[in-house]
Amino acid sequence: MNPVVGILGGMGPGATVDAMQKLIRHTPARKDQEHIPMIAVSIPDIPDRTQCILNHSASPLKKMVEYMKILERAGATCIIIPCNTAHYWFDDLKRHTQLEMISIIDATCQQVAEQRVRHVAILATTATVRGEIYQHALAGQQVRCTLPTDEQQDAVMSSIYAYKAGDVAQARARLLPVVAALRQRGVEKIILGCTELPLILEPEAIAEPDAYLDATDALIRKTIAWYYQQVTHPPVAA
Amino acid sequence: MNPVVGILGGMGPGATVDAMQKLIRHTPARKDQEHIPMIAVSIPDIPDRTQCILNHSASPLKKMVEYMKILERAGATCIIIPCNTAHYWFDDLKRHTQLEMISIIDATCQQVAEQRVRHVAILATTATVRGEIYQHALAGQQVRCTLPTDEQQDAVMSSIYAYKAGDVAQARARLLPVVAALRQRGVEKIILGCTELPLILEPEAIAEPDAYLDATDALIRKTIAWYYQQVTHPPVAA
């Protein structure tokens, strides 16, 4: 079976497209036919992840499983999810598929380790921060994690919702003061641990790439490595 | 059945992502859940469309049908193809599906009519130009079609291949003189009739949106209209 990347998307749709674009840009292809095959399901009626974790509203798990099954039937051989908060259910999703799944959290923490970063700030949804998704994953790496204050975190969350609502100017106005404040607290890198954040902070990340660690980018680099591994060392059929 | 846009993509992958991004940007959604559901298959091993039409090399039809069937089984209720040249096989593809298909050529010509444009230049692959795909579609509309010279057309084609190979600077260097020459020939609008062209000419199209007619944009606007039509007036079950 040829390796095909399955993208469980729609959380949000803009982040799905950003992940696809990064996959294309980072692939050393000289013509269409050399690009990495991918199938993306972006059906965004999945219940809000943050609302579920913080306020116990409807769970997104059932829809995520349903759309992951579409990818499976369509021929995907690995699943990636360009949404950090959705990784709260990563192990639950894993139980529903035999396919390889690449975690955005693991991919990002791997880059923290490889780049020997000792002090990060975590910029993410309130659910990702309160659910301690990154703090747990980084616990074994002796990395200091700086978090926004409660007030700053509210600004981050409202920035993310503003972006999802199409208001880029508002999203930037809310987020930039928080970024400035975090950078004054001596962090080496700011983890952009929500897939909307690299979109909101695109100019800043282009101007100072070393100041940020883009989780989407980390996920995509690991996915591309997985793909070439599959192509050069295909798994032996069972 | 809920309407779901199926994107038969990978021709090329960058154009697929551009179409998805335009679909998101043009949708008046205030949160993830209000965005239009879409499924994209971007498996780019489809044989080169231009090579087939001009040099009778392998036909892309079989793979296009195969990937359209993936979209069908995945739950797509309409099919769009963000590749102008692939529309050479549009009627063949239509015979293989019961689903609604929205043509990028029809969508673009409809905009030519709606905007009462009388004189266009056609910027497209050599196969789209020689196959007279746009000239035929515009024949009934009394629109004058200006084409690049043979030498200019070679530059357009090499620009498109350069973009597909990831060399944006080369793609722009080849294309910009052709655009300048066409604009001196008194055309009202230049049809960007290859889905790579709006990507290569992004700065120019942003600076002077009225000078160009972006086929991808036309396709996406028609697709969004189709979606809201389905939502507000769902088809009666047979």
Side-chain angles (χ1 to χ4, degrees):
Chain A
M1 203 190 302
N2 292 326
V4 176
V5 175
I7 301 170
L8 179 55
M11 301 178 280
T16 304
V17 165
D18 183 45
M20 295 172 77
Q21 197 156 54
K22 282 172 175 156
L23 198 140
I24 294 165
R25 287 204 182 135
H26 293 331
T27 300
R30 288 154 303 177
K31 54 182 184 173
D32 287 354
Q33 291 75 14
E34 290 178 2
H35 274 281
I36 295 178
M38 53 184 162
I39 301 175
V41 171
S42 180
I43 306 184
D45 64 356
I46 300 171
D48 190 284
R49 288 64 61 192
T50 294
Q51 287 303 320
C52 175
I53 295 172
L54 297 181
N55 304 327
H56 308 285
S57 63
S59 168
L61 183 61
K62 199 180 146 194
K63 290 265 185 195
M64 287 198 286
V65 171
E66 182 184 335
Y67 301 150
M68 189 171 69
K69 291 286 155 191
I70 293 179
L71 289 169
E72 236 181 65
R73 286 192 302 269
T77 63
C78 113
I79 303 284
I80 63 172
I81 312 167
C83 172
N84 291 264
T85 315
H87 282 67
Y88 185 84
W89 293 271
F90 189 76
D91 292 335
D92 295 308
L93 287 165
K94 264 194 119 144
R95 277 191 281 276
H96 285 88
T97 185
Q98 301 288 324
L99 299 184
E100 175 111 10
M101 289 182 67
I102 302 172
S103 156
I104 198 170
I105 312 294
D106 291 352
T108 306
C109 294
Q110 199 176 314
Q111 290 219 348
V112 170
E114 283 171 12
Q115 298 178 24
R116 297 170 192 276
V117 183
R118 288 276 156 253
H119 185 184
V120 298
I122 298 169
L123 213 53
T125 63
T126 306
T128 299
V129 172
R130 298 237 179 102
E132 302 196 327
I133 299 180
Y134 273 104
Q135 297 93 309
H136 278 301
L138 289 168
Q141 290 182 219
Q142 291 178 303
V143 174
R144 188 170 154 205
C145 295
T146 287
L147 303 176
T149 63
D150 286 353
E151 199 182 332
Q152 288 167 344
Q153 184 58 46
D154 288 346
V156 173
M157 200 62 231
S158 73
S159 166
I160 293 167
Y161 280 128
Y163 185 86
K164 285 175 182 289
D167 191 345
V168 181
Q170 184 68 255
R172 287 178 57 75
R174 299 272 169 91
L175 193 58
L176 290 177
V178 180
V179 169
L182 286 172
R183 295 194 63 184
Q184 289 195 329
R185 288 168 69 188
V187 301
E188 287 171 61
K189 279 184 196 275
I190 297 179
I191 291 180
L192 304 180
C194 162
T195 49
E196 266 77 26
L197 295 172
L199 296 162
I200 303 170
L201 293 175
E202 197 177 2
E204 287 70 27
I206 288 172
E208 284 188 88
D210 290 343
Y212 304 94
L213 212 162
D214 172 353
T216 308
D217 195 86
L219 172 66
I220 290 309
R221 288 183 189 277
K222 197 169 174 179
T223 302
I224 293 173
W226 167 86
Y227 176 79
Y228 286 112
Q229 171 71 21
Q230 297 292 307
V231 169
T232 51
H233 297 93
V236 180
Chain B
M1 203 189 307
N2 292 328
V4 176
V5 175
I7 302 170
L8 178 55
M11 301 178 280
T16 304
V17 165
D18 183 47
M20 294 172 79
Q21 197 156 53
K22 282 171 175 155
L23 198 140
I24 294 165
R25 287 207 182 133
H26 294 331
T27 300
R30 289 155 302 177
K31 54 181 183 174
D32 287 354
Q33 291 75 12
E34 289 178 2
H35 274 280
I36 295 179
M38 53 184 162
I39 301 174
V41 171
S42 180
I43 306 184
D45 64 356
I46 299 170
D48 189 286
R49 288 64 62 194
T50 294
Q51 287 303 321
C52 175
I53 296 171
L54 297 182
N55 303 328
H56 308 286
S57 63
S59 168
L61 183 60
K62 198 179 146 196
K63 289 266 185 195
M64 287 198 287
V65 171
E66 182 184 337
Y67 301 150
M68 189 172 68
K69 291 286 156 191
I70 293 179
L71 288 168
E72 235 180 66
R73 286 193 301 269
T77 63
C78 113
I79 303 286
I80 63 172
I81 312 167
C83 173
N84 291 264
T85 315
H87 282 67
Y88 185 84
W89 293 272
F90 190 76
D91 292 335
D92 295 309
L93 286 166
K94 263 195 119 147
R95 278 191 282 276
H96 285 86
T97 185
Q98 302 288 322
L99 299 184
E100 175 111 13
M101 290 182 67
I102 302 171
S103 156
I104 197 170
I105 313 294
D106 290 351
T108 305
C109 294
Q110 198 176 316
Q111 290 219 348
V112 171
E114 283 170 12
Q115 298 178 24
R116 298 173 192 275
V117 183
R118 288 276 157 255
H119 184 185
V120 298
I122 299 170
L123 213 52
T125 63
T126 306
T128 299
V129 172
R130 298 238 178 102
E132 302 196 328
I133 299 180
Y134 272 105
Q135 297 92 311
H136 278 302
L138 290 168
Q141 290 182 217
Q142 291 178 302
V143 174
R144 188 171 155 205
C145 295
T146 287
L147 303 176
T149 63
D150 286 352
E151 199 182 335
Q152 287 168 346
Q153 184 57 46
D154 288 345
V156 173
M157 199 62 231
S158 72
S159 165
I160 293 167
Y161 280 128
Y163 185 86
K164 285 175 182 287
D167 191 345
V168 180
Q170 184 68 256
R172 285 178 58 74
R174 299 273 169 90
L175 193 59
L176 290 178
V178 180
V179 170
L182 286 171
R183 294 194 65 185
Q184 289 194 330
R185 288 169 68 188
V187 302
E188 287 172 62
K189 279 185 196 273
I190 298 179
I191 292 180
L192 304 180
C194 162
T195 49
E196 266 78 26
L197 295 172
L199 296 162
I200 302 170
L201 292 175
E202 197 178 2
E204 287 71 27
I206 289 171
E208 283 188 90
D210 290 343
Y212 304 94
L213 212 163
D214 172 352
T216 308
D217 195 86
L219 172 66
I220 290 308
R221 287 182 189 277
K222 197 167 175 181
T223 302
I224 293 172
W226 167 85
Y227 176 80
Y228 286 113
Q229 172 70 22
Q230 298 292 308
V231 170
T232 51
H233 296 93
V236 180

